[in-house]
Amino acid sequence: MEESEATVPTPGREKRACSEDEPAHIAKRPRVQGIDSENGGVGPKPVQEVEDEPEQEGSEEEEEGAEPGETEEEGETFADMMKHGLTELDVGILEFVSKHEGFSGILKERYSDFVVNEINREGKIVHLDDLTVPVEPEETPRGQPEEEVQVQVLTAEQKQQLEELQLLKNKEGNVAIEVLDDTKEKRTLLHKAVKTSYPGLETKTEERDGRKFIIAYHAAGKKALAAPRKHSWPKSRGSFCHCVLYKENKDTMDAINVLSKFLRVRPNLFSYMGTKDKRAITVQEIAVLKISAERLAHLNKCLMNFRLGNFSYKKHPLKLGELQGNHFTVVIRNISGTEEQVTQAMTSLRDIGFINYYGMQRFGTTAVPTYQVGRAILQNNWAEVMDLILKPRPGAEKGYLVRCREEWAASQDPEAALKKLPVKRCVEGQLLRGLSMYGKNNIITAFGLIPRNNRLMYIHSYQSLVWNTMVSRRLQAFGLKSVKGDLVLRAGSAHVLTEEEAESHSIHDVVMPLPGFDVIYPTHHVGEGYREMLKADNLDIDNMRHKVRDYSLAGAYRRIIIRPKDVSWEVINYDDTRISLVHTDLEKLDNKPPPVFNKEGKYRALRMEFSLPSSTYATMAIREVLKMDTSIKNQTQLNTTWLN
C-alpha cells in the first residue's frame, strides 16, 4: 500500500474544489489510517514495504469513528484532548539502530512539508510534467460524432459562457442556448456537447415565450452519481485513460469522489495502485474506464487542489499493490540539531537504515486503540467489541459522536443512538445500524455490516502491536547482527538460520513474523516471546483460525530493518514560516521559481529525500533521524510550544 505520515495537527489551509460546499478549514485532526492489504491473502508471504499510509485498499471517508474532530463547542484544545492518545511506548516502538545524538524538529507544520511521489511498477518515480492531451489518429465514423466534433456546435461566445458557469463565475447560475433548428438531433448534439466538454454541468430543455432553449446549469454535487454517460469510444484506443494525479491536502478516496462528481460517473470506474495521505502533496498514477483525456484535462480548469496530466490510453486498469514504493521529500522545521548531528543522523539512515516498525497511525488516535478492538475480535469476545467501539471515551472526537456514545451508554438503544449521528457511514453508525437490524444478541452479524477492510483493520492493528513488541525484544537481545534461530526468506518461504548460516547474513536479511496459523517463529527465545504475549491476551498461538473465516490470521513476514534508497538532505535557513520549502511538480509546470532561502534566516529546517518500498512508514525513518517520539500526542505538544 502506501504511506502517509503521522498526521501532525498543525494549522494549514486546505484548498477547495470548486464544486464542494465544505469551507477551507484549519487542519487540526489526524486521520485514523486504514489497513495494509499485505495480510489479506491466504498463506504467508513476504510483507512488502510501503509509504506511510499503510492501507492498500481504499476505505470510506469516515471509516473510523475514532477520528478526532472539531470540538471547540466543548472548549477543549486539541492538545488537551490528545493527552489521552497513544505514545510510541504504548505500541512497542522502543529501539533505535543508530548511535547519533537526537534532536528536535516539527513534522508537517504545513501539508506542503510532506511530498510523496509514487514509484510505479517499472521503478520510475512518478511526476506530473505534461498537461497535453495525446493526439490520436482520426477515427470518428459518420453518424457517431466524438467529443471534438460535438463541441463544434457551440459558438465561441457560448463556450466562454459555459466555461464561466463551470468555474462558478456566472451570476445567473445558468446559460440559455436557443435552439433555432428545432430538431431532436440538434438538441441531442447540444446536450452532448455541453455535458462532455464541461464536466460538472447538466442540461435541460425549456420553452420560453414559444422559443426552445437548452439550459446549462452547475450540477456537481447534486447529481453526483448519475449513471455514466455513454460516448462512442474508438476501437483502437485502450479502454483505460491513465494519468498522473497531483493533489494537495486531500486523501485519495476523497479526491476520486470529487473527480467522479464532476465527471458524473461512479467512483468505481477509477483504479489506482495505492492510497495517499491527506495532509501532504502527493503525486500518483490513476486510471479511468472510458473517460477521454480531453474530459479529464478539462477538470484542470475548475479543480483548485488537483491537477491531472501525463495522459495515455492503455488496455488495463491499475491494481492495488502494484507500485514498487514511494519517494518522499520531507521538511522538518525548527530543528535544534547542529550540522554535525544532522550529517551523522542522515548518514546513518542512508547506510544502516531504520527499524521497520508499524507507525502510530496504525493504532488509532483516541483512548480506545484499534488493537484493543482487534484483540477482542480474536478472543471472540463480541460484547467487548461492541463496548469498545460504542462506549464513551475521553479524547478528541466530533461532538455528534460524543452525543451518540452518551445516548448508547444511557439507553443501550441502537436506534436512539443512531439518531444522534448525522453521518451514518462511520464505524459507529454502521455497527448501530446492524444492531438495530439484528439485535444485540447477534453482534457478529451486526458487526459484519462494517466494510471488510475496516473490520480487518482492527485485527491487523493487533498483529502490528505484537510485531513491534517482538522486534524491540529481538533487537534488545541480539542487536544488529543475525543470529542462530533468526528467520530469513528463501523463495518466499521462511528459513531458520543455523549458527554457521547466521555469519553469512546481515540484519537486513532478517524477517520477523506477524502471528498467524501459517507462519513459523524464530527458534531462539524471542520466538517463545510470541507465545507468551498471546497467552497473556488469552489467545492460543497454535490456533489462530477463527470461527469467522474473515478473522482467521494466516500471518506474514516483515523485514526488521529497511535501508532507504536515493537518500539526500540539506539544512535550510529561512525567515518566513508561511512559505513552502519544496519546489513542487505543479510549481515547476506553472514556471514558478523555486523557493529562495536566506542563509542568515532565523529559522532552520532539514529537507530530506528518500525512497521506500511499499508498506513501510516514512514516519519511522524520520523517527530514526530525530530520535524523537512521532506520536500525535507528542507532536501536538511540540507544535503548541512552537506556535506560541
Side-chain angles (χ1 to χ4, degrees):
M1 146 93 238
E2 268 64 18
E3 109 105 57
S4 65
E5 255 297 320
T7 305
V8 177
T10 42
R13 287 193 174 277
E14 179 184 358
K15 294 183 181 178
R16 287 181 4 176
C18 50
S19 72
E20 296 186 297
D21 296 327
E22 62 175 311
H25 62 280
I26 300 300
K28 296 181 181 178
R29 58 182 193 178
R31 276 183 70 235
V32 176
Q33 301 297 321
I35 63 167
D36 288 324
S37 64
E38 64 198 21
N39 303 324
V42 177
K45 54 180 177 287
V47 172
Q48 297 180 333
E49 286 76 55
V50 178
E51 45 165 14
D52 244 317
E53 191 165 333
E55 79 207 57
Q56 280 276 27
E57 305 180 16
S59 51
E60 303 249 6
E61 176 76 342
E62 291 94 4
E63 68 186 21
E64 248 273 53
E67 184 179 36
E70 313 288 349
T71 57
E72 281 80 356
E73 56 185 315
E74 284 81 15
E76 194 175 17
T77 68
F78 191 91
D80 289 336
M81 292 183 293
M82 285 315 300
K83 66 188 178 185
H84 306 289
L86 295 170
T87 66
E88 291 182 346
L89 297 179
D90 296 322
V91 295
I93 300 174
L94 309 176
E95 300 299 307
F96 296 95
V97 298
S98 53
K99 300 188 181 303
H100 71 273
E101 183 180 351
F103 52 92
S104 65
I106 299 177
L107 301 176
K108 286 194 175 183
E109 184 181 350
R110 301 172 59 88
Y111 68 78
S112 57
D113 289 345
F114 195 77
V115 181
V116 185
N117 291 77
E118 213 167 53
I119 301 174
N120 64 19
R121 290 175 298 185
E122 291 73 38
K124 179 182 177 182
I125 297 175
V126 175
H127 285 283
L128 179 75
D129 53 20
D130 183 3
L131 300 181
T132 61
V133 172
V135 177
E136 299 179 280
E138 185 61 42
E139 200 178 301
T140 304
R142 290 188 179 181
Q144 294 183 344
E146 264 286 0
E147 297 166 16
E148 302 83 6
V149 178
Q150 292 169 6
V151 79
Q152 292 175 9
V153 303
L154 298 169
T155 67
E157 182 182 4
Q158 288 167 346
K159 291 176 186 177
Q160 182 178 351
Q161 291 173 337
L162 289 167
E163 186 165 323
E164 290 175 354
L165 176 63
Q166 186 187 42
L167 297 175
L168 300 177
K169 295 179 180 179
N170 179 293
K171 294 181 180 179
E172 288 75 23
N174 64 74
V175 172
I177 302 172
E178 185 174 3
V179 185
L180 298 175
D181 181 6
D182 187 16
T183 65
K184 183 177 179 180
E185 291 75 14
K186 177 66 180 293
R187 292 198 303 273
T188 299
L189 204 55
L190 279 166
H191 283 296
K192 287 183 178 180
V194 173
K195 292 173 182 176
T196 58
S197 302
Y198 300 93
L201 298 189
E202 275 288 358
T203 59
K204 60 184 177 180
T205 302
E206 283 187 4
E207 190 168 311
R208 299 177 178 178
D209 300 325
R211 297 153 62 194
K212 277 195 173 153
F213 292 85
I214 288 178
I215 309 299
Y217 58 97
H218 208 296
K222 296 178 181 177
K223 296 185 178 179
L225 300 181
R229 301 279 174 180
K230 294 182 179 179
H231 307 286
S232 57
W233 193 262
K235 293 181 180 179
S236 62
R237 177 195 286 177
S239 294
F240 296 88
C241 184
H242 287 233
C243 63
V244 171
L245 167 64
Y246 170 102
K247 63 181 181 64
E248 298 180 356
N249 213 20
K250 285 278 185 186
D251 66 35
T252 300
M253 285 308 301
D254 196 14
I256 284 176
N257 285 335
V258 171
L259 295 175
S260 66
K261 286 180 182 181
F262 273 83
L263 294 168
R264 293 174 292 108
V265 300
R266 297 187 181 276
N268 61 9
L269 294 188
F270 290 79
S271 59
Y272 46 89
M273 293 183 288
T275 59
K276 297 289 182 285
D277 196 14
K278 173 180 178 177
R279 191 164 174 78
I281 292 175
T282 68
V283 184
Q284 68 182 113
E285 291 184 5
I286 64 171
V288 199
L289 175 63
K290 291 190 175 180
I291 298 293
S292 70
E294 287 83 1
R295 291 184 69 191
L296 291 169
H298 204 81
L299 296 177
N300 290 333
K301 298 179 180 180
C302 59
L303 295 178
M304 295 168 57
N305 47 354
F306 305 94
R307 194 67 64 89
L308 297 166
N310 296 80
F311 301 101
S312 63
Y313 294 106
K314 298 181 182 179
K315 296 180 179 179
H316 56 82
L318 296 170
K319 295 181 181 179
L320 287 164
E322 287 185 321
L323 76 166
Q324 288 196 17
N326 297 276
H327 183 78
F328 299 91
T329 304
V330 179
V331 173
I332 311 295
R333 295 187 184 239
N334 201 33
I335 60 168
S336 64
T338 64
E339 291 280 350
E340 182 180 4
Q341 287 175 317
V342 170
T343 299
Q344 289 176 347
M346 294 304 300
T347 301
S348 175
L349 180 68
R350 180 191 65 196
D351 297 344
I352 300 175
F354 63 96
I355 305 171
N356 194 21
Y357 285 125
Y358 286 98
M360 295 302 299
Q361 54 272 56
R362 186 78 160 181
F363 305 102
T365 57
T366 65
V368 179
T370 51
Y371 65 77
Q372 289 185 5
V373 181
R375 180 169 55 204
I377 293 171
L378 295 174
Q379 292 169 341
N380 210 33
N381 187 347
W382 292 99
E384 185 174 357
V385 170
M386 180 175 65
D387 185 50
L388 287 170
I389 293 176
L390 296 178
K391 71 180 182 180
R393 60 186 67 173
E397 283 208 309
K398 298 174 182 177
Y400 59 76
L401 272 174
V402 173
R403 291 186 285 274
C404 170
R405 296 187 193 288
E406 290 173 348
E407 175 62 40
W408 172 256
S411 67
Q412 295 287 296
D413 183 343
E415 292 187 10
L418 194 59
K419 288 178 181 177
K420 302 290 184 179
L421 285 177
V423 179
K424 305 288 195 291
R425 288 192 310 157
C426 61
V427 166
E428 290 82 356
Q430 290 158 333
L431 178 56
L432 287 169
R433 187 163 60 90
L435 291 171
S436 66
M437 292 171 61
Y438 302 109
K440 289 184 287 186
N441 293 326
N442 201 350
I443 302 173
I444 297 178
T445 305
F447 186 71
L449 261 65
I450 298 170
R452 183 175 183 271
N453 290 345
N454 294 18
R455 286 182 278 125
L456 296 183
M457 172 186 67
Y458 292 119
I459 58 174
H460 290 166
S461 177
Y462 178 75
Q463 280 185 304
S464 302
L465 172 71
V466 174
W467 194 90
N468 281 359
T469 304
M470 290 299 106
V471 164
S472 292
R473 185 178 297 188
R474 158 64 182 78
L475 291 169
Q476 290 165 355
F478 304 114
L480 294 178
K481 63 177 182 178
S482 59
V483 298
K484 177 183 177 181
D486 274 338
L487 303 179
V488 297
L489 293 177
R490 290 185 179 175
S493 299
H495 169 77
V496 181
L497 292 178
T498 65
E499 188 169 353
E500 182 180 1
E501 288 172 331
E503 294 182 4
S504 63
H505 284 273
S506 77
I507 191 65
H508 297 94
D509 300 324
V510 177
V511 298
M512 292 275 280
L514 286 93
F517 61 76
D518 204 10
V519 294
I520 62 173
Y521 296 88
T523 56
H524 47 59
H525 66 80
V526 177
E528 188 61 27
Y530 279 86
R531 183 177 299 274
E532 295 168 359
M533 184 172 180
L534 267 66
K535 184 178 180 180
D537 287 336
N538 295 315
L539 295 172
D540 183 359
I541 200 169
D542 297 317
N543 185 21
M544 297 301 289
R545 295 185 186 273
H546 198 280
K547 70 176 187 177
V548 180
R549 184 176 180 182
D550 269 357
Y551 313 134
S552 292
L553 296 179
Y557 300 102
R558 182 176 175 90
R559 294 189 184 278
I560 293 180
I561 305 293
I562 291 293
R563 239 185 328 220
K565 297 181 179 179
D566 310 315
V567 179
S568 63
W569 67 91
E570 64 177 321
V571 174
I572 299 165
N573 288 75
Y574 62 101
D575 283 315
D576 188 350
T577 59
R578 298 167 299 176
I579 66 170
S580 171
L581 303 181
V582 177
H583 198 205
T584 67
D585 285 359
L586 185 57
E587 290 170 335
K588 293 173 184 175
L589 265 176
D590 292 342
N591 294 316
K592 293 183 179 179
V596 177
F597 308 115
N598 178 6
K599 293 184 179 179
E600 305 300 321
K602 60 181 178 179
Y603 302 118
R604 297 171 69 242
L606 169 59
R607 186 170 67 183
M608 63 176 82
E609 292 193 44
F610 52 88
S611 296
L612 294 178
S614 49
S615 242
T616 27
Y617 289 70
T619 36
M620 294 296 99
I622 296 165
R623 171 185 180 269
E624 188 69 43
V625 170
L626 300 178
K627 289 200 170 177
M628 188 175 69
D629 189 328
T630 60
S631 66
I632 298 170
K633 180 176 181 177
N634 182 61
Q635 284 294 308
T636 302
Q637 293 167 352
L638 281 175
N639 278 321
T640 302
T641 303
W642 166 230
L643 291 170
N644 291 336

